[in-house]
Amino acid sequence: MATRRNFLHKLGLASAALLSTPNLFANKAIQKGKNKINHSPPIVISTWSHGIEANAEAVRVLNTGGSALGAVESGVRVVEADENNHSVGIGGYPDASGRVSLDASIMDHQGNAGAVCYLEDIIHPISVARKVMEETPHVMLAGNGALDFALQQGFNRQNLLTPKMEKEWKKWTETSEYKPVVNFENHDTIGLLVLDNENRLAGACTTSGMMYKLPGRVGDSPIIGAGLFVDGEVGAATATGMGELMMKTLGSFLIVELMRNGHSAQESCEIAIKRIWNRYSDDQNSKFFQVGYLALSKDGDIGAYSILPGFQYALAVNGENKLFDADFFIKG
Ligand code: SD4
């Protein structure tokens, strides 16, 4: 633990607090459901600072009569189209071979789900995921099959490797050292959850995955139950961070199940993070462990928690849309 602390200290990971959520459970046994707060819908919650723009778009959709499903799709599309976000859509970091491959998933309140993984050349994987959900009997399409399907559905093909990212990648190939960096530099996936005025939940999650990943690597974001899970009767959860950890613990599904069993959204995120830590923190790679979870219950209770400091989320509720620092597990 001392080594890990030193590592964090070296990285200077003190987060610039804009607003912070209280640490209700530090050093205490979790008391089931004690800290629930039921906000009134509509509620939009999403990962990282780009969540502010995504939330604003989702709120606009809700305010103009759209559904939770339409809101999550439109919200994350804003980030997919932003070349300056290097972990989602166009402008995303390529894999080690210089190819940008995208993962995305979407779920509605009825348990319908769609996903794409290892999709190249399509700027809006979330919309392809929605088409998979609505137009096919399947849940996930991968690689060339997903691309062919997207083209058949009328999506345009486009090079997603921007000149800036190509330059950075070429520089990286001089050493080809795979060195994921915690927090901002390498974790910008957008996961966005909505509870609309009719109490319908929906969620979307979209990413270009880990920077310079092995070609063919697929992360948690398109895996239903890992990067995203929605149960319209209970709640929704989404994830960002080192996808392998959410995949090995099915974190988003776990969070929804914990809420089903009476835990608050915050407790559920905390338990899911501790599950990862207890199980995997001895791995050599634990210094790269950043995972952040968001949860939103059917009753409007919200949760956010990460392993390391630095995870931020955007929350739009009661007519306001603000950025918060999530509480975290490793307190230095
Ligand atoms: C992945 N979870 O592919 C994604 C990466 C991520 O912000 O969250 N980036 O593992």
Side-chain angles (χ1 to χ4, degrees):
M1 185 63 89
T3 318
R4 188 166 298 114
R5 260 194 231 124
N6 290 344
F7 173 82
L8 291 174
H9 186 69
K10 268 194 215 146
L11 283 176
L13 280 175
S15 53
L18 295 171
L19 290 165
S20 53
T21 46
N23 176 15
L24 295 169
F25 301 108
N27 308 320
K28 271 196 243 160
I30 284 175
Q31 290 179 295
K32 210 171 173 180
K34 274 279 188 303
N35 63 334
K36 282 185 190 170
I37 298 173
N38 297 335
H39 299 283
S40 303
I43 302 169
V44 182
I45 187 167
S46 61
T47 54
W48 304 113
S49 55
H50 51 225
I52 292 285
E53 289 84 51
N55 284 5
E57 171 61 11
V59 167
R60 189 195 63 73
V61 169
L62 295 172
N63 287 344
T64 50
S67 65
L69 185 64
V72 297
E73 180 189 8
S74 296
V76 302
R77 278 174 64 101
V78 172
V79 184
E80 289 180 333
D82 180 1
E83 286 195 15
N84 295 318
N85 177 300
H86 300 311
S87 294
V88 182
I90 191 163
Y93 278 108
D95 65 18
S97 69
R99 293 160 72 168
V100 179
S101 63
L102 306 177
D103 297 339
S105 62
I106 192 162
M107 258 187 113
D108 73 9
H109 67 292
Q110 292 175 310
N112 297 307
V116 288
C117 67
Y118 206 71
L119 175 64
E120 293 178 88
D121 295 344
I122 302 288
I123 189 174
H124 289 302
I126 199 65
S127 298
V128 186
R130 183 168 176 180
K131 289 282 185 199
V132 172
M133 176 172 97
E134 292 178 339
E135 307 293 335
T136 81
H138 306 307
V139 171
M140 182 187 284
L141 294 178
N144 286 339
L147 176 60
D148 289 347
F149 171 75
L151 297 174
Q152 281 160 20
Q153 291 290 323
F155 289 85
N156 293 324
R157 195 168 186 163
Q158 136 178 34
N159 179 16
L160 303 179
L161 184 64
T162 57
K164 179 171 185 268
M165 288 299 104
E166 188 172 12
K167 204 166 145 205
E168 284 197 24
W169 167 70
K170 284 201 171 129
K171 190 156 182 351
W172 174 79
T173 57
E174 288 166 16
T175 57
S176 295
E177 227 184 311
Y178 184 63
K179 224 196 237 171
V181 181
V182 287
N183 286 331
F184 307 107
E185 291 85 346
N186 195 31
H187 294 289
D188 281 330
T189 295
I190 181 140
L192 187 147
L193 309 172
V194 166
L195 181 66
D196 70 17
N197 278 321
E198 290 173 43
N199 280 320
R200 290 172 300 201
L201 282 162
C205 187
T206 174
T207 190
S208 57
M210 306 295 279
M211 157 171 57
Y212 311 140
K213 61 196 175 186
L214 279 180
R217 183 262 188 189
V218 168
D220 60 302
S221 307
I223 307 295
I224 300 300
L228 177 72
F229 196 70
V230 178
D231 182 322
E233 299 300 312
V234 177
T238 191
T240 180
M242 189 170 150
E244 283 70 9
L245 294 169
M246 294 81 108
M247 293 163 90
K248 288 189 279 196
T249 54
L250 273 191
S252 293
F253 177 74
L254 173 62
I255 289 169
V256 172
E257 287 308 292
L258 288 162
M259 291 194 284
R260 187 192 308 282
N261 289 326
H263 283 285
S264 71
Q266 182 65 26
E267 289 161 8
S268 303
C269 292
E270 297 189 12
I271 294 168
I273 288 290
K274 285 168 194 164
R275 174 83 52 96
I276 291 175
W277 191 256
N278 292 340
R279 181 70 182 78
Y280 294 106
S281 62
D282 289 339
D283 284 6
Q284 272 189 4
N285 285 333
S286 63
K287 61 188 174 188
F288 301 128
F289 271 23
Q290 177 60 316
V291 170
Y293 283 125
L294 296 180
L296 172 60
S297 83
K298 175 77 189 285
D299 303 321
D301 184 30
I302 61 139
Y305 200 64
S306 59
I307 297 177
L308 298 171
F311 175 43
Q312 295 184 306
Y313 64 98
L315 175 64
V317 68
N318 299 328
E320 291 188 316
N321 184 17
K322 288 185 186 167
L323 191 64
F324 292 82
D325 279 344
D327 192 12
F328 51 91
F329 183 58
I330 299 182
K331 303 284 189 199

